[in-house]
Coordinates of all heavy atoms in Angstrom, one line a residue:
M1 N -60.7 -65.2 -114.0 CA -60.3 -66.3 -113.1 C -59.5 -65.8 -111.9 O -59.6 -66.3 -110.8 CB -59.6 -67.4 -113.9 CG -59.2 -68.6 -113.1 SD -58.9 -70.0 -114.2 CE -58.5 -71.2 -112.9
G2 N -58.5 -64.8 -112.2 CA -57.9 -64.3 -111.0 C -56.5 -65.0 -110.7 O -56.1 -65.7 -111.5
E3 N -56.0 -64.5 -109.6 CA -54.6 -65.0 -109.3 C -54.8 -66.4 -108.6 O -55.8 -66.7 -108.0 CB -53.9 -64.1 -108.3 CG -53.7 -62.7 -109.0 CD -53.4 -61.6 -107.9 OE1 -53.8 -61.8 -106.8 OE2 -52.8 -60.6 -108.4
P4 N -53.7 -67.2 -108.7 CA -53.8 -68.6 -108.0 C -53.9 -68.4 -106.5 O -53.3 -67.5 -105.9 CB -52.5 -69.3 -108.5 CG -51.6 -68.2 -108.9 CD -52.5 -67.0 -109.4
K5 N -54.6 -69.3 -105.8 CA -54.8 -69.4 -104.4 C -53.8 -70.3 -103.8 O -53.7 -70.3 -102.5 CB -56.1 -69.6 -104.1 CG -57.1 -68.5 -104.6 CD -58.6 -68.7 -104.2 CE -59.4 -67.6 -104.7 NZ -60.8 -67.8 -104.3
N6 N -53.2 -71.2 -104.5 CA -52.3 -72.2 -103.9 C -51.0 -72.1 -104.6 O -50.9 -71.8 -105.9 CB -52.9 -73.6 -104.2 CG -54.2 -73.8 -103.3 OD1 -54.3 -73.2 -102.3 ND2 -55.0 -74.7 -103.8
C7 N -49.9 -72.5 -103.9 CA -48.6 -72.4 -104.4 C -48.4 -73.5 -105.5 O -48.8 -74.6 -105.5 CB -47.5 -72.8 -103.3 SG -45.8 -72.8 -103.8
S8 N -47.7 -73.0 -106.7 CA -47.6 -73.9 -107.8 C -46.6 -75.0 -107.5 O -46.5 -76.0 -108.2 CB -47.2 -73.0 -109.0 OG -45.9 -72.4 -108.8
E9 N -45.7 -74.8 -106.5 CA -44.7 -75.8 -106.2 C -45.2 -76.8 -105.2 O -45.0 -78.0 -105.4 CB -43.4 -75.1 -105.7 CG -42.7 -74.3 -106.7 CD -42.1 -75.1 -107.8 OE1 -41.5 -76.1 -107.5 OE2 -42.3 -74.7 -109.0
C10 N -45.7 -76.3 -104.1 CA -46.0 -77.3 -103.0 C -47.6 -77.4 -102.6 O -48.0 -78.3 -102.0 CB -45.3 -76.8 -101.6 SG -46.0 -75.3 -101.0
G11 N -48.3 -76.5 -103.2 CA -49.8 -76.6 -103.2 C -50.3 -75.9 -101.9 O -51.6 -76.0 -101.7
R12 N -49.5 -75.4 -101.1 CA -50.0 -74.6 -99.9 C -50.8 -73.4 -100.3 O -50.6 -72.8 -101.4 CB -48.9 -74.2 -98.9 CG -48.3 -75.3 -98.3 CD -47.3 -74.9 -97.3 NE -46.7 -76.0 -96.5 CZ -45.6 -75.9 -95.7 NH1 -45.0 -74.8 -95.5 NH2 -45.2 -76.9 -95.0
R13 N -51.7 -73.0 -99.3 CA -52.5 -71.8 -99.7 C -51.6 -70.6 -99.6 O -50.8 -70.4 -98.7 CB -53.7 -71.7 -98.7 CG -54.6 -70.6 -98.8 CD -55.8 -70.8 -98.0 NE -56.8 -69.7 -98.1 CZ -57.7 -69.6 -99.1 NH1 -57.7 -70.5 -100.0 NH2 -58.5 -68.6 -99.2
L14 N -51.7 -69.7 -100.5 CA -51.0 -68.5 -100.5 C -51.8 -67.4 -99.8 O -52.9 -67.1 -99.9 CB -50.8 -67.9 -102.0 CG -50.0 -69.0 -102.8 CD1 -50.0 -68.5 -104.3 CD2 -48.6 -69.2 -102.3
R15 N -51.0 -66.7 -98.9 CA -51.7 -65.7 -98.0 C -51.5 -64.3 -98.3 O -52.4 -63.5 -98.0 CB -51.0 -65.9 -96.5 CG -51.3 -67.2 -95.9 CD -50.8 -67.2 -94.5 NE -50.1 -68.5 -94.2 CZ -49.6 -68.7 -93.0 NH1 -49.5 -67.8 -92.1 NH2 -49.0 -69.9 -92.8
T16 N -50.5 -63.9 -99.0 CA -50.3 -62.5 -99.3 C -50.6 -62.3 -100.8 O -50.5 -63.2 -101.7 CB -48.9 -62.0 -99.0 OG1 -48.0 -62.7 -99.8 CG2 -48.6 -62.3 -97.6
A17 N -50.9 -61.0 -101.2 CA -51.1 -60.6 -102.5 C -49.8 -60.8 -103.4 O -49.9 -61.2 -104.5 CB -51.5 -59.1 -102.6
A18 N -48.7 -60.5 -102.8 CA -47.4 -60.7 -103.5 C -47.2 -62.2 -103.9 O -46.7 -62.6 -105.0 CB -46.2 -60.2 -102.7
S19 N -47.5 -63.1 -102.9 CA -47.3 -64.5 -103.2 C -48.3 -65.0 -104.3 O -48.0 -65.8 -105.1 CB -47.6 -65.3 -101.8 OG -46.6 -65.1 -101.0
R20 N -49.6 -64.5 -104.2 CA -50.5 -64.9 -105.2 C -50.1 -64.4 -106.6 O -50.3 -65.0 -107.7 CB -51.9 -64.3 -104.8 CG -52.6 -65.1 -103.7 CD -54.0 -64.8 -103.5 NE -54.1 -63.4 -103.0 CZ -54.1 -63.0 -101.7 NH1 -53.9 -63.9 -100.7 NH2 -54.3 -61.8 -101.3
T21 N -49.5 -63.1 -106.7 CA -49.1 -62.6 -107.9 C -47.9 -63.5 -108.5 O -47.8 -63.8 -109.7 CB -48.5 -61.2 -107.7 OG1 -49.6 -60.5 -107.3 CG2 -48.0 -60.6 -109.0
R22 N -47.0 -63.9 -107.6 CA -45.9 -64.8 -108.0 C -46.3 -66.2 -108.4 O -45.7 -66.9 -109.2 CB -44.8 -64.9 -106.9 CG -43.7 -64.0 -106.9 CD -42.6 -64.4 -105.9 NE -43.1 -64.8 -104.6 CZ -43.2 -64.0 -103.5 NH1 -42.8 -62.8 -103.6 NH2 -43.6 -64.6 -102.4
G23 N -47.4 -66.6 -107.7 CA -47.9 -68.0 -107.9 C -47.2 -69.0 -107.0 O -47.5 -70.2 -107.1
M24 N -46.4 -68.5 -106.0 CA -45.8 -69.4 -105.0 C -45.5 -68.6 -103.8 O -45.3 -67.4 -103.9 CB -44.6 -70.1 -105.6 CG -43.4 -69.2 -106.0 SD -42.0 -70.1 -106.6 CE -42.6 -70.6 -108.3
G25 N -45.3 -69.3 -102.7 CA -45.0 -68.5 -101.5 C -43.5 -68.2 -101.4 O -42.7 -68.6 -102.3
P26 N -43.1 -67.5 -100.4 CA -41.7 -67.0 -100.3 C -40.7 -68.1 -100.1 O -39.6 -68.1 -100.6 CB -41.7 -66.1 -99.0 CG -43.0 -66.5 -98.3 CD -44.0 -67.0 -99.3
V27 N -41.0 -69.2 -99.4 CA -40.1 -70.3 -99.2 C -39.9 -71.0 -100.5 O -38.7 -71.3 -100.9 CB -40.7 -71.3 -98.1 CG1 -39.8 -72.6 -98.0 CG2 -40.7 -70.6 -96.8
C28 N -40.9 -71.4 -101.2 CA -40.8 -72.0 -102.6 C -40.1 -71.1 -103.5 O -39.2 -71.5 -104.5 CB -42.1 -72.5 -103.1 SG -42.7 -73.9 -102.2
D29 N -40.4 -69.8 -103.6 CA -39.7 -68.8 -104.4 C -38.2 -68.8 -104.2 O -37.4 -68.8 -105.1 CB -40.3 -67.4 -104.2 CG -39.7 -66.4 -105.1 OD1 -39.7 -66.7 -106.4 OD2 -39.4 -65.3 -104.6
A30 N -37.8 -68.9 -102.9 CA -36.4 -68.8 -102.5 C -35.7 -70.1 -103.0 O -34.6 -70.1 -103.5 CB -36.2 -68.6 -101.1
K31 N -36.4 -71.3 -103.0 CA -35.9 -72.5 -103.4 C -35.7 -72.6 -104.9 O -34.7 -73.2 -105.4 CB -36.7 -73.6 -102.9 CG -36.6 -73.9 -101.5 CD -37.6 -75.0 -101.0 CE -37.5 -75.3 -99.6 NZ -38.5 -76.4 -99.1
T32 N -36.6 -72.0 -105.6 CA -36.5 -72.1 -107.1 C -35.7 -71.0 -107.8 O -35.3 -71.1 -108.9 CB -38.0 -72.1 -107.7 OG1 -38.6 -70.9 -107.3 CG2 -38.8 -73.3 -107.2
R33 N -35.4 -69.9 -107.1 CA -34.7 -68.9 -107.6 C -33.2 -69.2 -107.7 O -32.7 -69.9 -106.8 CB -34.9 -67.6 -106.7 CG -34.4 -66.4 -107.3 CD -34.7 -65.2 -106.4 NE -36.1 -65.0 -106.2 CZ -36.7 -63.9 -105.8 NH1 -36.0 -62.9 -105.6 NH2 -38.0 -63.9 -105.8
P34 N -32.5 -68.9 -108.7 CA -31.0 -69.2 -108.8 C -30.3 -68.5 -107.7 O -30.7 -67.3 -107.4 CB -30.7 -68.8 -110.2 CG -31.8 -67.9 -110.6 CD -33.0 -68.2 -109.9
P35 N -29.1 -69.0 -107.2 CA -28.4 -68.4 -106.2 C -27.8 -67.1 -106.7 O -27.4 -67.0 -107.8 CB -27.3 -69.4 -105.8 CG -27.3 -70.4 -106.9 CD -28.7 -70.3 -107.6
Q36 N -27.9 -66.1 -105.9 CA -27.3 -64.8 -106.2 C -25.7 -64.8 -105.9 O -25.3 -65.3 -104.8 CB -27.9 -63.6 -105.4 CG -29.4 -63.5 -105.7 CD -29.7 -63.2 -107.2 OE1 -29.0 -62.3 -107.7 NE2 -30.6 -63.8 -107.8
P37 N -24.9 -64.3 -106.8 CA -23.4 -64.2 -106.5 C -23.2 -63.3 -105.2 O -23.9 -62.3 -105.1 CB -22.8 -63.7 -107.8 CG -23.9 -63.0 -108.4 CD -25.2 -63.7 -108.1
A38 N -22.2 -63.6 -104.6 CA -21.8 -62.7 -103.4 C -21.2 -61.4 -103.9 O -20.5 -61.5 -104.9 CB -20.7 -63.4 -102.5
P39 N -21.5 -60.3 -103.3 CA -20.9 -59.0 -103.8 C -19.4 -59.1 -103.7 O -18.8 -59.6 -102.7 CB -21.5 -58.0 -102.9 CG -22.1 -58.7 -101.8 CD -22.3 -60.1 -102.2
A40 N -18.7 -58.5 -104.7 CA -17.2 -58.5 -104.6 C -16.8 -57.4 -103.6 O -17.4 -56.3 -103.5 CB -16.7 -58.1 -106.0
T41 N -15.7 -57.7 -102.9 CA -15.2 -56.8 -101.9 C -13.8 -56.4 -102.4 O -13.0 -57.3 -102.7 CB -15.0 -57.5 -100.5 OG1 -16.3 -58.0 -100.2 CG2 -14.6 -56.4 -99.5
L42 N -13.5 -55.2 -102.6 CA -12.3 -54.7 -103.1 C -11.4 -54.3 -101.9 O -11.9 -53.7 -101.0 CB -12.5 -53.5 -104.0 CG -13.4 -53.8 -105.2 CD1 -13.6 -52.5 -106.0 CD2 -12.7 -54.8 -106.1
P43 N -10.1 -54.5 -102.0 CA -9.2 -54.1 -100.9 C -9.3 -52.7 -100.6 O -9.3 -51.8 -101.6 CB -7.9 -54.6 -101.3 CG -8.0 -55.3 -102.6 CD -9.5 -55.2 -103.1
G44 N -9.4 -52.3 -99.4 CA -9.3 -50.9 -99.0 C -10.7 -50.2 -99.1 O -10.8 -49.0 -98.8
L45 N -11.7 -50.9 -99.7 CA -13.0 -50.3 -99.8 C -14.1 -50.9 -99.1 O -15.2 -50.8 -99.3 CB -13.5 -50.3 -101.4 CG -12.5 -49.5 -102.3 CD1 -13.0 -49.7 -103.7 CD2 -12.5 -48.1 -101.9
S46 N -13.7 -51.7 -98.0 CA -14.6 -52.4 -97.2 C -15.3 -51.5 -96.2 O -16.3 -51.9 -95.6 CB -13.9 -53.5 -96.4 OG -13.0 -52.9 -95.5
G47 N -14.9 -50.3 -96.0 CA -15.5 -49.3 -95.1 C -15.1 -49.6 -93.6 O -15.5 -48.9 -92.7
Q48 N -14.1 -50.6 -93.4 CA -13.7 -50.8 -92.1 C -12.3 -50.4 -92.0 O -11.4 -50.4 -92.9 CB -13.8 -52.3 -91.7 CG -15.3 -52.8 -91.8 CD -15.5 -54.2 -91.4 OE1 -14.6 -54.9 -91.1 NE2 -16.8 -54.7 -91.4
R49 N -11.8 -50.1 -90.7 CA -10.4 -49.7 -90.6 C -9.5 -50.9 -90.4 O -10.0 -52.0 -90.1 CB -10.3 -48.8 -89.3 CG -11.1 -47.5 -89.4 CD -11.0 -46.7 -88.1 NE -11.6 -45.5 -88.3 CZ -10.9 -44.3 -88.5 NH1 -9.7 -44.4 -88.7 NH2 -11.6 -43.2 -88.7
G50 N -8.2 -50.7 -90.7 CA -7.3 -51.7 -90.6 C -6.8 -52.0 -89.2 O -7.4 -51.6 -88.3
P51 N -5.7 -52.7 -89.1 CA -5.2 -53.0 -87.7 C -4.9 -51.7 -87.0 O -4.5 -50.7 -87.6 CB -4.0 -53.9 -88.0 CG -3.8 -53.9 -89.4 CD -5.0 -53.2 -90.1
A52 N -5.1 -51.7 -85.7 CA -4.9 -50.6 -84.9 C -5.6 -49.4 -85.2 O -5.1 -48.2 -85.0 CB -3.3 -50.3 -84.8
G53 N -6.7 -49.5 -85.9 CA -7.5 -48.4 -86.3 C -7.0 -47.5 -87.4 O -7.5 -46.3 -87.6
Q54 N -6.0 -48.0 -88.2 CA -5.4 -47.2 -89.2 C -6.3 -47.2 -90.5 O -6.9 -48.3 -90.8 CB -4.0 -47.7 -89.6 CG -3.1 -47.6 -88.4 CD -1.8 -48.2 -88.8 OE1 -1.6 -48.9 -89.7 NE2 -0.8 -48.1 -87.9
D55 N -6.4 -46.1 -91.2 CA -7.1 -46.1 -92.5 C -6.3 -46.7 -93.6 O -5.0 -46.8 -93.4 CB -7.5 -44.7 -92.8 CG -8.7 -44.1 -91.9 OD1 -9.5 -44.9 -91.6 OD2 -8.7 -42.9 -91.7
G56 N -6.9 -47.1 -94.6 CA -6.2 -47.6 -95.8 C -5.6 -46.5 -96.6 O -5.7 -45.3 -96.2
P57 N -4.9 -46.7 -97.7 CA -4.3 -45.6 -98.5 C -5.4 -44.7 -99.0 O -6.5 -45.1 -99.4 CB -3.6 -46.4 -99.6 CG -4.4 -47.7 -99.7 CD -4.8 -48.0 -98.3
D58 N -5.1 -43.5 -99.1 CA -5.9 -42.5 -99.7 C -5.7 -42.4 -101.1 O -4.7 -42.0 -101.6 CB -5.7 -41.1 -99.0 CG -6.7 -40.0 -99.4 OD1 -7.6 -40.4 -100.1 OD2 -6.6 -38.9 -98.9
L59 N -6.8 -42.7 -101.9 CA -6.6 -42.7 -103.4 C -6.5 -41.3 -104.0 O -6.0 -41.1 -105.0 CB -7.8 -43.4 -104.0 CG -8.0 -44.9 -103.6 CD1 -9.2 -45.4 -104.3 CD2 -6.7 -45.7 -104.0
L60 N -6.8 -40.3 -103.2 CA -6.7 -38.9 -103.7 C -5.5 -38.1 -103.1 O -5.3 -37.0 -103.2 CB -8.0 -38.1 -103.2 CG -9.3 -38.6 -103.8 CD1 -10.5 -37.9 -103.3 CD2 -9.3 -38.7 -105.3
D61 N -4.6 -39.0 -102.6 CA -3.3 -38.4 -102.0 C -2.6 -37.7 -103.1 O -2.3 -38.3 -104.2 CB -2.5 -39.5 -101.4 CG -1.6 -39.0 -100.4 OD1 -1.6 -37.8 -100.1 OD2 -0.8 -39.9 -99.7
T62 N -2.0 -36.5 -102.9 CA -1.3 -35.8 -103.9 C 0.2 -35.9 -103.7 O 1.0 -35.3 -104.5 CB -1.7 -34.3 -103.9 OG1 -1.5 -33.7 -102.6 CG2 -3.2 -34.2 -104.3
D63 N 0.7 -36.5 -102.7 CA 2.2 -36.7 -102.5 C 2.6 -37.7 -103.5 O 2.3 -38.9 -103.5 CB 2.5 -37.1 -101.1 CG 2.1 -36.1 -100.1 OD1 2.0 -34.9 -100.4 OD2 1.9 -36.5 -98.9
D64 N 3.5 -37.3 -104.4 CA 4.1 -38.1 -105.4 C 5.6 -38.3 -105.1 O 6.5 -37.8 -105.8 CB 4.0 -37.5 -106.8 CG 2.5 -37.5 -107.3 OD1 1.8 -38.4 -106.8 OD2 2.2 -36.6 -108.1
E65 N 5.9 -39.0 -104.0 CA 7.3 -39.2 -103.6 C 8.1 -40.1 -104.6 O 9.3 -39.9 -104.8 CB 7.3 -40.0 -102.2 CG 6.7 -39.1 -101.2 CD 6.6 -39.9 -99.8 OE1 7.1 -40.9 -99.8 OE2 5.9 -39.3 -98.9
D66 N 7.4 -41.0 -105.4 CA 8.1 -41.9 -106.2 C 8.2 -41.3 -107.6 O 8.9 -41.8 -108.5 CB 7.3 -43.2 -106.4 CG 7.3 -44.0 -105.1 OD1 8.1 -43.8 -104.2 OD2 6.4 -44.7 -104.8
D67 N 7.5 -40.1 -107.9 CA 7.6 -39.6 -109.2 C 8.7 -38.5 -109.3 O 8.5 -37.4 -108.7 CB 6.3 -38.9 -109.5 CG 6.1 -38.4 -110.8 OD1 6.9 -38.9 -111.7 OD2 5.2 -37.6 -111.1
P68 N 9.8 -38.7 -109.9 CA 10.9 -37.7 -110.0 C 10.4 -36.6 -111.0 O 9.8 -36.9 -112.0 CB 12.1 -38.5 -110.6 CG 11.6 -39.7 -111.2 CD 10.1 -40.0 -110.6
Q69 N 10.7 -35.4 -110.7 CA 10.3 -34.2 -111.6 C 11.5 -33.7 -112.3 O 12.5 -33.5 -111.9 CB 9.6 -33.2 -110.7 CG 8.2 -33.7 -110.2 CD 7.5 -32.6 -109.4 OE1 8.0 -31.5 -109.3 NE2 6.4 -33.0 -108.9

């Protein structure tokens, strides 16, 4: 019988092989797919510089000023 030629949600004709494999077009697929959570952003790991172009703290810094020896 083959792949469906019409969207299972709205009935429109499916144009691409990927849509026919899914059984629905990209718009209906996006509507029926559960929302994806936003990626977590960790402080200092955004890849952007701070105010006045300063970098964040260096996690590999070897200066232990607070550590009495």
Side-chain angles (χ1 to χ4, degrees):
M1 181 162 184
E3 300 165 336
K5 295 183 180 182
N6 294 332
C7 177
S8 62
E9 293 293 313
C10 69
R12 287 184 176 170
R13 185 168 178 82
L14 299 174
R15 297 187 216 177
T16 66
S19 294
R20 287 189 291 273
T21 300
R22 264 193 320 264
M24 65 179 72
V27 173
C28 290
D29 183 47
K31 287 180 183 178
T32 59
R33 195 178 292 204
Q36 299 296 317
T41 306
L42 300 174
L45 298 177
S46 66
Q48 298 183 2
R49 294 180 176 262
Q54 297 173 353
D55 284 327
D58 187 2
L59 298 177
L60 301 176
D61 204 1
T62 57
D63 294 338
D64 294 328
E65 296 173 13
D66 297 332
D67 187 20
Q69 291 182 2

